[in-house]
Each structure stands twice: as structure tokens, then as C-alpha cells.
């Protein structure tokens, strides 16, 4: 037996680690843009639809030659699941959670994704055995989440519904990360990303039927709404999803996903500056505890058999 440590240092693929960090910094601000669009009168379905349409059009223009189908129907079904979990369900649960709780809480609870991914990967693939650090990291991370969810500031606005939606969002991204790992070995990043957005739009259709799509030009073309939709569609979706999938392909998926640990810090700072959400000592301590706990879990060595 030999131990293979999970290394978080950017040795060998330094630029991809920097890229993953930059993407997470951008995604950490998307919670604020989404919440501001909700306040402007858009529904979660509206935001996702226009965001994905912008991203898909950009990808369709960039990809040459344009390939329509996967190699087989099994892979096509996997692309559909990627669009469902990594697109529709992830953003619906996340955006709906923003209606019931604070941006900082949504970001922090969704940041449990790396830990959930690590645990589920062990359980499904049975790759060695997680050791003490993983369990210690789990306790620290979820202890930090509990500190944020139940701190004095939040207790007067308790929203189990919003918190459960956040956890559902984290689980959706976990499934996305595990599903994309296999497809990334056989398909280009551009094709994978474009098909994810296509199937996200397809699986979003039932929700658009239920919540009629907002198409009022006076609202959509206003400076605040149009600018935020462009940011979410072009920057946070088209560019960041494309580059994130590159990172997943070049780095270990667990190592790449570890950078999501830093998302709460970005969201808490930006939400404080733009939305006036208060930051207290318990919230800061909980954030630090989550980051430390999940970092410890992410560095957990696995036991591999030769």
C-alpha cells in the first residue's frame, strides 16, 4: 500500500489553479446579481432562461465544427443529466433560496459541495478509505454551517425552506462534478459546455410553463437588468463554465472543487458592500470554520492499492 496525498498547491498546473480561483471569485458575486434581479421583478426561471440563452448562443458561435449529437445515446443521456443537475435544478434551488434567506447563507451552505463531492465519490467508487482528517474536516465544516444558520442575527429570520434549498443546490453540483468527470475524457470542453446549456434550457421548459416568462422590454432592457443578465450569461456562464470545465479536465475534480471553499468569503464581502447585510462575529467565525474544515477534508490522503 502507498498513500497518495491530495495536493492543493499549484505544482505542475499552476495557471489552472489560478484560473479556478478567479472563476470562484466571479461566481461568489453572482448571488448578489441574482438577488438584485429578483428584487427587480424577475423570477428564478426568468433569470436562468436568459442566462443560459446568452451562454448557449455564445458557445454555438464559437464552436467549429458544430457537432449535434454525442457518440451514443448513453452519453447523450448523461449530457441531459448534466444539464438537469448542473443547470436547471442547481440554479432553481439556489435562486429560490435567495428569496427566503440571506446571500451570505446561500453562499456558505452551497459551499459544502466539495465535501459532499468527496464523500459521494468515496461511496460510489470505493477508492480507498477516508481517514480521520476527513471526519474531522466534516465536523468542522458542518459546525461552521450551523454557526451561520443559527447565529443570533439569523435566528429572527429562521428559514428552513431556504436552507434546504441551499443544500439541494449543493447536492446538484456534486452530481454534476461526478458526472462530468467521465465525459471529460472523451469530449471537448466546448461540446460538453454547449450541450449542458442546451439541456438546461430543455429541462427548464416545464418551469417556464408554470411561471410565465417575463418578456417585457421595458424591464429587460433597463440598464440594471440588462447589465446583470449580460454578466450572468456571458461572464459567469459562458466564460466561467467553459473555463471551469477546462480546470476539471486538467486538474483532479476534487482539487478543483475545493476552490469553492472560498466562495462564501467573496459573497459575504460583496453582499455587505452592495446589499447592506450585516456581518457579525459569529458569521465570520462560522465562515472561517467552514473553510478550515473543508480544507482539512480536501487534503485527506487516500489509500490506494497497487
Amino acid at each position: 500500500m502507498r498513500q497518495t496525498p491530495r495536493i492543493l498547491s499549484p505544482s505542475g498546473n499552476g495557471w489552472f489553479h489560478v484560473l479556478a480561483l478567479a472563476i470562484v471569485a466571479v461566481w461568489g458575486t453572482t448571488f448578489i446579481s441574482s438577488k438584485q434581479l429578483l428584487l427587480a421583478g424577475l423570477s428564478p426561471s426568468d433569470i436562468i432562461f436568459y442566462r443560459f440563452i446568452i451562454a448557449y448562443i455564445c458557445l454555438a458561435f464559437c464552436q467549429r465544427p458544430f457537432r449535434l449529437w454525442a457518440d451514443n445515446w448513453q452519453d447523450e443521456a448523461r449530457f441531459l443529466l448534466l444539464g438537469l443537475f448542473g443547470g436547471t435544478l442547481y440554479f432553481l434551488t439556489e435562486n429560490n433560496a435567495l428569496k427566503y434567506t440571506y446571500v451570505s447563507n446561500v453562499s456558505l451552505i452551497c459551499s459544502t459541495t466539495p465535501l459532499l463531492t468527496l464523500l459521494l465519490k468515496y461511496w460510489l467508487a470505493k477508492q480507498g478509505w477516508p481517514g480521520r482528517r476527513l471526519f474531522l474536516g466534516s465536523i468542522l465544516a458542518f459546525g461552521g454551517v450551523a454557526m451561520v444558520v443559527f447565529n443570533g442575527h439569523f435566528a429572527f429570520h429562521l428559514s428552513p425552506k431556504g436552507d434546504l434549498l441551499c443544500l439541494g443546490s449543493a447536492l446538484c453540483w456534486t452530481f454534476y462534478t461526478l458526472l462530468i468527470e467521465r465525459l471529460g475524457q472523451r469530449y471537448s470542453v466546448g461540446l460538453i459546455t454547449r450541450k449542458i446549456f442546451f439541456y438546461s434550457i430543455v429541462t427548464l421548459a416545464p418551469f417556464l410553463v408554470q411561471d410565465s416568462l417575463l418578456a417585457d422590454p421595458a424591464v429587460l432592457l433597463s440598464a440594471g437588468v440588462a447589465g446583470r443578465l449580460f454578466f450572468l450569461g456571458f461572464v459567469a456562464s459562458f466564460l466561467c463554465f467553459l473555463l471551469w470545465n477546462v480546470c476539471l479536465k486538467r486538474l483532479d475534480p476534487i482539487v478543483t472543487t475545493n476552490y469553492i471553499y472560498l466562495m462564501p468569503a467573496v459573497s459575504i464581502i460583496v453582499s455587505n458592500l452592495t446589499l447592506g447585510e450585516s456581518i457579525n462575529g459569529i458569521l465570520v467565525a462560522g465562515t472561517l470554520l467552514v473553510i478550515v474544515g473543508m480544507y482539512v477534508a480536501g487534503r485527506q490522503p487516500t489509500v490506494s492499492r497497487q
Side-chain angles (χ1 to χ4, degrees):
M1 291 186 182
R2 63 182 180 88
Q3 287 196 333
T4 306
R6 293 200 178 279
I7 304 297
L8 297 182
S9 62
S11 58
N13 289 296
W15 285 111
F16 294 102
H17 288 268
V18 174
L19 183 60
L21 180 60
I23 293 168
V24 166
V26 172
W27 281 347
T29 67
T30 59
F31 298 101
I32 290 87
S33 294
S34 296
K35 187 154 190 174
Q36 289 171 329
L37 288 172
L38 291 171
L39 295 173
L42 278 72
S43 70
S45 299
D46 295 330
I47 298 171
I48 298 168
F49 176 77
Y50 289 115
R51 177 176 181 169
F52 288 171
I53 283 291
I54 293 171
Y56 183 81
I57 291 172
C58 293
L59 285 162
F61 272 109
C62 291
Q63 190 180 10
R64 294 290 182 275
F66 187 91
R67 181 178 176 184
L68 188 59
W69 300 108
D71 292 338
N72 51 67
W73 70 266
Q74 292 95 336
D75 284 349
E76 198 69 31
R78 292 187 182 99
F79 281 123
L80 188 150
L81 290 175
L82 282 173
L84 177 64
F85 286 110
T88 300
L89 293 181
Y90 174 78
F91 287 107
L92 277 177
T93 50
E94 177 190 284
N95 289 347
N96 275 288
L98 288 168
K99 297 193 298 185
Y100 303 105
T101 188
Y102 291 95
V103 167
S104 55
N105 290 79
V106 174
S107 176
L108 192 62
I109 296 173
C110 286
S111 73
T112 58
T113 300
L115 182 58
L116 293 173
T117 303
L118 186 61
L119 291 171
L120 193 58
K121 187 170 183 178
Y122 272 118
W123 182 66
L124 291 176
K126 298 181 176 60
Q127 296 179 345
W129 295 95
R132 293 179 181 177
R133 286 187 180 183
L134 178 58
F135 294 108
L136 175 61
S138 301
I139 293 171
L140 291 174
F142 283 107
V145 171
M147 287 178 66
V148 171
V149 172
F150 297 108
N151 74 73
H153 167 73
F154 188 77
F156 296 103
H157 305 85
L158 190 61
S159 177
K161 184 175 182 179
D163 301 333
L164 288 174
L165 285 169
C166 293
L167 289 174
S169 182
L171 281 171
C172 287
W173 194 258
T174 295
F175 293 137
Y176 170 85
T177 301
L178 297 178
L179 281 168
I180 203 172
E181 185 175 5
R182 181 180 297 180
L183 291 173
Q185 300 170 1
R186 301 197 306 276
Y187 298 96
S188 69
V189 171
L191 174 66
I192 291 173
T193 310
R194 177 177 59 81
K195 292 187 77 65
I196 287 170
F197 284 119
F198 172 77
Y199 280 117
S200 295
I201 296 170
V202 170
T203 54
L204 182 64
F207 299 95
L208 292 175
V209 172
Q210 180 180 354
D211 302 323
S212 56
L213 182 68
L214 176 66
D216 185 358
V219 176
L220 296 176
L221 298 180
S222 63
V225 171
R228 292 184 180 102
L229 285 176
F230 177 80
F231 168 72
L232 290 175
F234 183 80
V235 179
S237 295
F238 166 57
L239 290 179
C240 286
F241 260 82
L242 190 65
L243 295 174
W244 184 258
N245 290 341
V246 171
C247 292
L248 287 173
K249 198 167 187 176
R250 292 297 299 265
L251 305 173
D252 182 273
I254 299 296
V255 173
T256 305
T257 309
N258 282 341
Y259 283 98
I260 293 177
Y261 301 161
L262 301 175
M263 194 180 293
V266 176
S267 293
I268 289 172
I269 293 171
V270 176
S271 66
N272 176 255
L273 295 175
T274 60
L275 300 179
E277 294 185 2
S278 61
I279 299 177
N280 56 39
I282 297 177
L283 184 61
V284 173
T287 301
L288 293 175
L289 193 58
V290 169
I291 294 172
V292 170
M294 300 179 79
Y295 175 79
V296 170
R299 289 185 63 85
Q300 168 62 30
T302 61
V303 178
S304 59
R305 296 174 175 79
Q306 288 185 316

